Structures are given as structure tokens and as C-alpha cells.
Amino acid sequence: MRSFIKKDLLIFWRDRKELMTVLLLPIVLVVVLNFAFSGLLGNDEESGMDLQLAVVNQDDETEAMADLQEKLTREASLGESEAAALVEQASHADPVQMLFDFLDSEDVTEIVTVHQLEEDETIEKAQAGEMDGILVIPNGFAADSLYAAFTGESPATSLVFKMENETMNTSALFQIINGFMEQMNFQFALQAAGSEPDAEVMLPEGGFEEVEAVESHSFSLTQYFTVAMGALFSLFIAATVATKTGEEIRQQVFNRILLTNSHSVLFLIGKVVSTFFLAWFQMMFVFMFSQAVLDAFPDRSITFWLGTIGIVTLLSLSIAGLGAVFTAISLRVTNIDAANGIFFLVIILFGVIGGNFVPVYVMPDWLQQIGEWTPNGRALVMLTEWIQFEELSSIIMPSMLLIGFFLLCIVIGLILFPKRGKAS
Amino acid sequence: MLETINVSKSFKGKKAVQDVSLYLDNGESVGLIGPNGAGKSTTISMISTLIKPTSGEIKLNGANTINKPEKIRKILGVVPQELALYQELSAYENLKFFGSIYKMKGNDLEKRIQRALEIVGLADRQKDLVKTFSGGMKRRVNIAAALLHRPQILILDEPTVGIDPQSRNHILETVRALNEKDGTTILYTSHYMEEVEQLCDRLYIMDYGEVIAAGTKAELLSILQAEDTVKAELSKMDEAFIQQVKTIDGVRKAEASHLQLKIIAKKGSNLISELVHLADQHQLQIINFHTETPSLEDVFLHLTGRTLRD
Ligand SMILES: Nc1ncnc2c1ncn2[C@@H]1O[C@H](COP(=O)(O)OP(=O)(O)OP(=O)(O)O)[C@@H](O)[C@H]1O
Ligand SMILES: [Mg+2]
């Protein structure tokens, strides 16, 4: 067995040009894509997304100013005229209006579709998975926010962001709304400072409540490219190894191997192991390079890296399985070139539906669902979730699936593996 | 020790080999000769268990090998027509890989590798990648790889095709030594008659998938030995003399052009003395006179109406 593995790895090692291509191409692409896209989109990392946001407005804007006036006179013991002046000032800065203006702005409408709905309707839609997030503007929100801005107290009510499941999309939405809140608070602070030089103005804290909050990291474009290219190119290794098998047939060495009476499984194991190592090293190179040069994963823990290595290992394993199937097929077919062509097509197909070329959310649902059954698609989801949430529980099931995929492939490879020479 | 009994092979209904029966005795050196596409390689592939015959049997010491290929594979060394080597590995690495999958190890393997490289005369180039070798050197490594496990039977499929005379001689000498010194049984395929004539005790001639003749060199030549071709150069032309020659007992044909006379006669006819006697009568001299012996190439020509190589 060692002889086979050694031989396969040695052959790859000898073909330095191919080895370099295999190892460097994904890295080059990560760099190129990264710079191309970050330049093009002005670092807008979530661009290209189509996020569905339901907005439930429970606040009555017509009453907001009256409420504010009452609150200012009653609770902050301001004089009637003083309060009226503040209300006048505030009427130009209705937070609810500002929120809608913000959601209507060109930057946001590009990626977020806003649905103004009633609450029960919203829940239905959210449960059906049509909404990526729900934003609830509670009753009294405008008055409370403004009051808090003037007094420096914490607001009594806050926006509520709800979601059904934590996904990349929901966290993107969360980031957007959070950004708005920060911006609004900052503006309030400026306004308050401008009109009331003596007043002690504090930036209202919070004002925004995250429901089902999970500590999460954002998912950057660089990270997406790293993960997508790493997984995609490692897939190609399965095909590359099968191509080598084709060469072994053409060069008749396979026949010579058969004549030694060595067990056919050893040949297959040689392919599986070398595919595994190549895929593993390739992906690790991509990650290491992205980290070292592009700082793709800043300040991440050892746990994060261990998990990432684990996922890479599992993906390499399933790719090795795919290599076994391709190898066995190569040994069976009469037209090796056609077979190689088909392998590459299969891999491109896997790459597309697995989301390695374009993010999956641009594809129809049914395709996304099929895509999750490809090892690369599965690993991509695992990695994206791992990068954001670092939750072990979220990767255990998919890990099992990857191992299952590997075992299934090995069984298929063994069944297809020919016992005699090719031309029998 | 090894025999095929009426083996046939069809590829998608097209017959490549038909009813080939041949045998190899221990220590023999046997040639298999035929033009391109005769079915030599196909026959060899069937013997070496790489292709399953469509029909017929292959027996090693009386035991059928077709469904139990392991035994014959163990004692068989095959030098395929195409190079069966990893171009990206060195000669040494190739041999080491093939040796180790023959389950040889350590010192023993090392010795065998060096011995095989010596036999083919490549010990000094063993560290070089096969792809940097000349055609002849590659063919020699190809042979070395078949020798590692010291096979009792060595099958060589056109091992000298497309190489320089020096490498060719080296290969022929190697094969002869393996046969004569080590007692290896040889099945040697070629479409060079002279190689087979030099090396082999017996030979089979194949054409269009069938064995059309078999036997020792002498036996095959005797196919043509029913007739002799005699050529004579005359001092002058005499039509009456020619007519008389045609009446000699056993002469099939007599043709003259200029001063050359060509006679085809049955073997053993009293041609020469009759010819001298007649020349005396017609007062002319026979200046030059020779009998042509047929070659194996002539045998092939006689059997197929074609030459071995176009
Ligand atoms: N795998 C195959 N599929 C289809 N036809 C084949 C195959 N192998 C051989 N043939 C056919 O069988 C016939 C015999 O081929 P074979 O290779 O045995 O000839 P050969 O005597 O070795 O010729 P050469 O001297 O050119 O090597 C040829 O007509 C060839 O086209
Ligand atoms: Mg041939």
C-alpha cells in the first residue's frame, strides 16, 4: 500500500508545474477576485444580496410629537416653551421617518426589499421562510428615542429585530440596521450638542435590541472567496487524479500493475490517499495565504482554526472519495478523454450548485437544496457558519454527511473497480 | 508447459485472433511473427491474462489459467509493445515500485533491481527520469521491469521496434543470454524475420488473426524446398538450347533475357549435369551459375503473397 501512495505522490511531486498550478491557482483567484470586487463595490460586502425585511410599524407618528412634548414637560420638568422648542427641533428628525428614509435610500434598496406588514401576517411569512428578518417599531418608539436623545437617558422602548433562523442573510440585515441606529444616534448627539451647548448630551446606548442574539462575526467577501475557491479547486483534484489514472492506462502501467497480482484495492487506496493529501494541502494553503496576506480572518481563536482544519479535512476526505469513483470509472470506460471531460463537467456542476462560483442565494431554492448535497456545497455552508458563529453543534451533522459521502464513494469505487485488464 | 488451445478474440464482433493454438516448452525460445495487425499482441495479452479470450483455452501445466490468472502471472514476465513505465519517475524508482508491488523488500529488492539494470546495461543511468531516456533506453527499462521477479517465462512484444541498431543488438543479446544461461522460456514477437531466425528455436507465423505456419526454421523452409531457383549466365544466346532446357525432367520454367537464364525446377532433379551436357552440345559456355536458397521471408511471401513489412 505504501508503494502505491508513494508512487502517486512522487508523480505529483515530479510534475512541479502542475503541482504549482494546482496549489497556486486558487490563491491567485482569491487575490484577484478580492481586489476586483472590493474595488468595484467600494467594500460593500453584502452587495448582490437580495434581503427580505419585514417592517412592522406599531408606532403612531401623528401622536409622536404630542407624546414627546408631554414627556418633556412632565418627566424632564422642562418649561412649556422650552419643550415646544425642542419638539419643533425634533419634528425635523423623526426617527421613524429617518428609518424609512434610510430603508428607501438607494444603497439599501439595492440589497434590501422592505415589506410593511401587520404583525400576524409577518409571522406567517417569516415562518414560511420568506423573510430574512423582521423589524418591529414598537409603539412610542419615536417619542422615546427623541426623549432619550435630549435627556441622555436610555430609551424606554427600542427597535426589535427578529429572525426565524440565524443565517448569513439575517446577520447581514442585522448589520445594516445596526449601522443605521449608530448613525441616527450620532446625528442626534450632534443636533443636541448644537442646540444646547450646555446640556449634557449622551449618546443613547442601545436603542436596538437583538433578539435571539448569538455572538457572531461578520462574513467578509475575502472570506467568501477564500472558502469558495479553496473548496472549488480541491474538487478539481479528484478529476486531476483520475486524469493520472487515464495516463497510467494509456502508458500501460496499469496492466503491468495487474500482472503483479497485487490487490486492486491498493491501487484505489493509493489514489484516495494522494487525492486526500493534495486536496488538504491545497485548501490549507489557500487559508494560510488568505490569512497571512489578506488578513482574511483577523483575531480568530485557536478553536476557530482547529474547527476550520477539521472541516477542510472532512471535505478532503469526500473529495478523495470522489477521486476513487472517478478512478474506477476511468479504468472501465473505453474513451478516457471523454471520461475526463465528463469528470470536469461534473465538478463544474458541483461547483455551481454548491455555491463556489456564485453565492447560493442567487439560485432558486430547489437548486440550493440539491447544492447542499454536494460535498463542496455542504462544506461551504459549514465554513460560512463556522466563520460567523463558531458553533460546534452546527457542524456535527454536516460532518457526518461528509463522512457518509466519503464512504459511499469508496463503496461505489470498489464496486466499479475492474478485476481484469481494461479490454476484457 | 504453456499452451493455448483454439483461442479466439473478437472486438465488437470483429475477429482479431482466430483459433490460435500454440505451445511453449520449458526452456524453449519461440518466435511469433506476422505483419501489422496480425493479432500477435492480442494473442500475447490473452496469454498474459490481460484480455479474456472470446473462446478457447489457455493452460499452464495442464491447468486452465483463464479464470485463475494468479498462478501464471507469478511466473510470467511481460514486456509489452508499448512502454509500460512511469515517465515521471527514474528508472530506479520505476523498478522499485514494480518490485515492491511484487512484494519484494529491502536488500533482496535492491539486489534484484541492480541485477535487472545490469542485464539491460543501464545501471549507470538509473537515477535519471525515464522521460529523459532515448527510445532504446526506455525499451531496455521496459524489459528490466519484467525481469525483477525472475520469471520462468518471458514474453516480449516487439521489443526492438523503432530503435537504433546498437540498442537492438543489446536487447537481442540480453534475450539470448536469459534463454541460454538462465533457462528462461522465451516467447518473442517481432516482424523482423532475421531477429526471430537468430533467437528462436521454433516459430509461429500469424496473419489475419490466424497461425498460418508453425515449426522449426528448417521445417518452415522445407515448405519452399520442393523447388530450386537456378540462375545461369550464358556466353551467347541460343533459342534451341533454351527449348531443350525446358524439356529437362523436373524443370517447370525456363526463361531467358539477354544472356541470363532463370530456371525453376523441382528439387532433386538432375538439373546441373543435364544443363552442362546440353551446353556442350550447343557449343556455348555457362559463365556463371548459382542456386538461390529460399529465406524465411520467402516462406512468408509464399504463404501470404505479401512481404512482412510494406
Ligand atoms: N482493444 C481493441 N479494440 C478493438 N480492436 C482491437 C483492439 N486491440 C486490437 N484490435 C484489433 O485486432 C487486430 C490485431 O491487433 P494486434 O494488436 O493483436 O496486432 P499485432 O499483430 O500486434 O500488430 P502490430 O505488429 O502492429 O503490433 C487489429 O486489427 C486491431 O485493430
Ligand atoms: Mg502488436
PDB file of all heavy atoms in Angstrom, chain A residues 408-423:
ATOM      1  N   LEU A 408     -19.677   6.244   0.932  1.00  0.00           N
ATOM      2  CA  LEU A 408     -20.489   5.860  -0.216  1.00  0.00           C
ATOM      3  C   LEU A 408     -19.623   5.798  -1.482  1.00  0.00           C
ATOM      4  O   LEU A 408     -19.688   4.846  -2.258  1.00  0.00           O
ATOM      5  CB  LEU A 408     -21.632   6.864  -0.396  1.00  0.00           C
ATOM      6  CG  LEU A 408     -22.606   6.557  -1.529  1.00  0.00           C
ATOM      7  CD1 LEU A 408     -23.479   5.371  -1.152  1.00  0.00           C
ATOM      8  CD2 LEU A 408     -23.472   7.774  -1.844  1.00  0.00           C
ATOM      9  N   CYS A 409     -18.804   6.848  -1.651  1.00  0.00           N
ATOM     10  CA  CYS A 409     -17.933   6.897  -2.825  1.00  0.00           C
ATOM     11  C   CYS A 409     -16.973   5.718  -2.847  1.00  0.00           C
ATOM     12  O   CYS A 409     -16.724   5.119  -3.896  1.00  0.00           O
ATOM     13  CB  CYS A 409     -17.121   8.185  -2.842  1.00  0.00           C
ATOM     14  SG  CYS A 409     -18.077   9.594  -3.363  1.00  0.00           S
ATOM     15  N   ILE A 410     -16.410   5.385  -1.688  1.00  0.00           N
ATOM     16  CA  ILE A 410     -15.445   4.282  -1.635  1.00  0.00           C
ATOM     17  C   ILE A 410     -16.124   2.981  -2.050  1.00  0.00           C
ATOM     18  O   ILE A 410     -15.585   2.200  -2.844  1.00  0.00           O
ATOM     19  CB  ILE A 410     -14.859   4.148  -0.205  1.00  0.00           C
ATOM     20  CG1 ILE A 410     -14.025   5.379   0.141  1.00  0.00           C
ATOM     21  CG2 ILE A 410     -14.025   2.883  -0.074  1.00  0.00           C
ATOM     22  CD1 ILE A 410     -12.774   5.544  -0.676  1.00  0.00           C
ATOM     23  N   VAL A 411     -17.351   2.789  -1.544  1.00  0.00           N
ATOM     24  CA  VAL A 411     -18.073   1.573  -1.901  1.00  0.00           C
ATOM     25  C   VAL A 411     -18.329   1.533  -3.409  1.00  0.00           C
ATOM     26  O   VAL A 411     -18.071   0.528  -4.074  1.00  0.00           O
ATOM     27  CB  VAL A 411     -19.403   1.485  -1.115  1.00  0.00           C
ATOM     28  CG1 VAL A 411     -20.269   0.369  -1.657  1.00  0.00           C
ATOM     29  CG2 VAL A 411     -19.112   1.270   0.365  1.00  0.00           C
ATOM     30  N   ILE A 412     -18.787   2.652  -3.956  1.00  0.00           N
ATOM     31  CA  ILE A 412     -19.041   2.699  -5.401  1.00  0.00           C
ATOM     32  C   ILE A 412     -17.748   2.425  -6.166  1.00  0.00           C
ATOM     33  O   ILE A 412     -17.719   1.653  -7.126  1.00  0.00           O
ATOM     34  CB  ILE A 412     -19.618   4.079  -5.807  1.00  0.00           C
ATOM     35  CG1 ILE A 412     -21.001   4.259  -5.186  1.00  0.00           C
ATOM     36  CG2 ILE A 412     -19.714   4.192  -7.324  1.00  0.00           C
ATOM     37  CD1 ILE A 412     -21.591   5.642  -5.398  1.00  0.00           C
ATOM     38  N   GLY A 413     -16.671   3.057  -5.720  1.00  0.00           N
ATOM     39  CA  GLY A 413     -15.375   2.862  -6.369  1.00  0.00           C
ATOM     40  C   GLY A 413     -14.971   1.398  -6.376  1.00  0.00           C
ATOM     41  O   GLY A 413     -14.513   0.870  -7.389  1.00  0.00           O
ATOM     42  N   LEU A 414     -15.171   0.736  -5.258  1.00  0.00           N
ATOM     43  CA  LEU A 414     -14.795  -0.677  -5.165  1.00  0.00           C
ATOM     44  C   LEU A 414     -15.657  -1.546  -6.069  1.00  0.00           C
ATOM     45  O   LEU A 414     -15.176  -2.468  -6.714  1.00  0.00           O
ATOM     46  CB  LEU A 414     -14.917  -1.160  -3.715  1.00  0.00           C
ATOM     47  CG  LEU A 414     -13.828  -0.647  -2.771  1.00  0.00           C
ATOM     48  CD1 LEU A 414     -14.106  -1.108  -1.349  1.00  0.00           C
ATOM     49  CD2 LEU A 414     -12.462  -1.121  -3.226  1.00  0.00           C
ATOM     50  N   ILE A 415     -16.949  -1.195  -6.123  1.00  0.00           N
ATOM     51  CA  ILE A 415     -17.849  -1.986  -6.968  1.00  0.00           C
ATOM     52  C   ILE A 415     -17.473  -1.829  -8.443  1.00  0.00           C
ATOM     53  O   ILE A 415     -17.451  -2.787  -9.197  1.00  0.00           O
ATOM     54  CB  ILE A 415     -19.320  -1.556  -6.744  1.00  0.00           C
ATOM     55  CG1 ILE A 415     -19.760  -1.968  -5.330  1.00  0.00           C
ATOM     56  CG2 ILE A 415     -20.242  -2.185  -7.786  1.00  0.00           C
ATOM     57  CD1 ILE A 415     -21.104  -1.417  -4.921  1.00  0.00           C
ATOM     58  N   LEU A 416     -17.147  -0.590  -8.801  1.00  0.00           N
ATOM     59  CA  LEU A 416     -16.851  -0.336 -10.215  1.00  0.00           C
ATOM     60  C   LEU A 416     -15.461  -0.805 -10.628  1.00  0.00           C
ATOM     61  O   LEU A 416     -15.179  -0.950 -11.799  1.00  0.00           O
ATOM     62  CB  LEU A 416     -16.958   1.171 -10.504  1.00  0.00           C
ATOM     63  CG  LEU A 416     -18.345   1.789 -10.484  1.00  0.00           C
ATOM     64  CD1 LEU A 416     -18.264   3.280 -10.787  1.00  0.00           C
ATOM     65  CD2 LEU A 416     -19.239   1.103 -11.512  1.00  0.00           C
ATOM     66  N   PHE A 417     -14.604  -1.030  -9.636  1.00  0.00           N
ATOM     67  CA  PHE A 417     -13.214  -1.320  -9.971  1.00  0.00           C
ATOM     68  C   PHE A 417     -13.095  -2.623 -10.760  1.00  0.00           C
ATOM     69  O   PHE A 417     -13.593  -3.657 -10.344  1.00  0.00           O
ATOM     70  CB  PHE A 417     -12.382  -1.411  -8.689  1.00  0.00           C
ATOM     71  CG  PHE A 417     -10.929  -1.195  -8.927  1.00  0.00           C
ATOM     72  CD1 PHE A 417     -10.398   0.077  -8.898  1.00  0.00           C
ATOM     73  CD2 PHE A 417     -10.094  -2.267  -9.189  1.00  0.00           C
ATOM     74  CE1 PHE A 417      -9.058   0.279  -9.128  1.00  0.00           C
ATOM     75  CE2 PHE A 417      -8.753  -2.068  -9.423  1.00  0.00           C
ATOM     76  CZ  PHE A 417      -8.230  -0.791  -9.386  1.00  0.00           C
ATOM     77  N   PRO A 418     -12.421  -2.581 -11.936  1.00  0.00           N
ATOM     78  CA  PRO A 418     -12.355  -3.783 -12.771  1.00  0.00           C
ATOM     79  C   PRO A 418     -11.372  -4.801 -12.201  1.00  0.00           C
ATOM     80  O   PRO A 418     -10.390  -4.446 -11.567  1.00  0.00           O
ATOM     81  CB  PRO A 418     -11.851  -3.247 -14.107  1.00  0.00           C
ATOM     82  CG  PRO A 418     -11.106  -2.019 -13.770  1.00  0.00           C
ATOM     83  CD  PRO A 418     -11.716  -1.447 -12.523  1.00  0.00           C
ATOM     84  N   LYS A 419     -11.670  -6.064 -12.450  1.00  0.00           N
ATOM     85  CA  LYS A 419     -10.813  -7.117 -11.900  1.00  0.00           C
ATOM     86  C   LYS A 419      -9.722  -7.508 -12.886  1.00  0.00           C
ATOM     87  O   LYS A 419      -8.684  -8.010 -12.533  1.00  0.00           O
ATOM     88  CB  LYS A 419     -11.660  -8.352 -11.569  1.00  0.00           C
ATOM     89  CG  LYS A 419     -12.716  -8.083 -10.505  1.00  0.00           C
ATOM     90  CD  LYS A 419     -12.100  -7.931  -9.112  1.00  0.00           C
ATOM     91  CE  LYS A 419     -13.123  -7.429  -8.107  1.00  0.00           C
ATOM     92  NZ  LYS A 419     -13.440  -5.998  -8.273  1.00  0.00           N
ATOM     93  N   ARG A 420      -9.995  -7.322 -14.165  1.00  0.00           N
ATOM     94  CA  ARG A 420      -9.066  -7.765 -15.178  1.00  0.00           C
ATOM     95  C   ARG A 420      -8.518  -6.566 -15.917  1.00  0.00           C
ATOM     96  O   ARG A 420      -8.747  -5.432 -15.527  1.00  0.00           O
ATOM     97  CB  ARG A 420      -9.830  -8.639 -16.160  1.00  0.00           C
ATOM     98  CG  ARG A 420      -9.053  -9.767 -16.717  1.00  0.00           C
ATOM     99  CD  ARG A 420     -10.010 -10.627 -17.496  1.00  0.00           C
ATOM    100  NE  ARG A 420      -9.974 -12.016 -17.036  1.00  0.00           N
ATOM    101  CZ  ARG A 420      -9.088 -12.900 -17.467  1.00  0.00           C
ATOM    102  NH1 ARG A 420      -8.152 -12.527 -18.290  1.00  0.00           N
ATOM    103  NH2 ARG A 420      -9.129 -14.130 -17.060  1.00  0.00           N
ATOM    104  N   GLY A 421      -7.804  -6.828 -16.993  1.00  0.00           N
ATOM    105  CA  GLY A 421      -7.313  -5.728 -17.817  1.00  0.00           C
ATOM    106  C   GLY A 421      -8.473  -4.971 -18.406  1.00  0.00           C
ATOM    107  O   GLY A 421      -9.622  -5.410 -18.341  1.00  0.00           O
ATOM    108  N   LYS A 422      -8.154  -3.848 -18.984  1.00  0.00           N
ATOM    109  CA  LYS A 422      -9.191  -2.971 -19.477  1.00  0.00           C
ATOM    110  C   LYS A 422     -10.039  -3.555 -20.598  1.00  0.00           C
ATOM    111  O   LYS A 422     -11.239  -3.403 -20.609  1.00  0.00           O
ATOM    112  CB  LYS A 422      -8.532  -1.694 -20.001  1.00  0.00           C
ATOM    113  CG  LYS A 422      -8.849  -0.506 -19.156  1.00  0.00           C
ATOM    114  CD  LYS A 422      -8.282   0.728 -19.777  1.00  0.00           C
ATOM    115  CE  LYS A 422      -8.896   0.993 -21.131  1.00  0.00           C
ATOM    116  NZ  LYS A 422     -10.335   1.136 -21.117  1.00  0.00           N
ATOM    117  N   ALA A 423      -9.378  -4.187 -21.533  1.00  0.00           N
ATOM    118  CA  ALA A 423     -10.077  -4.540 -22.769  1.00  0.00           C
ATOM    119  C   ALA A 423     -10.919  -5.810 -22.645  1.00  0.00           C
ATOM    120  O   ALA A 423     -11.420  -6.310 -23.623  1.00  0.00           O
ATOM    121  CB  ALA A 423      -9.068  -4.707 -23.892  1.00  0.00           C
TER     122      ALA A 423
END
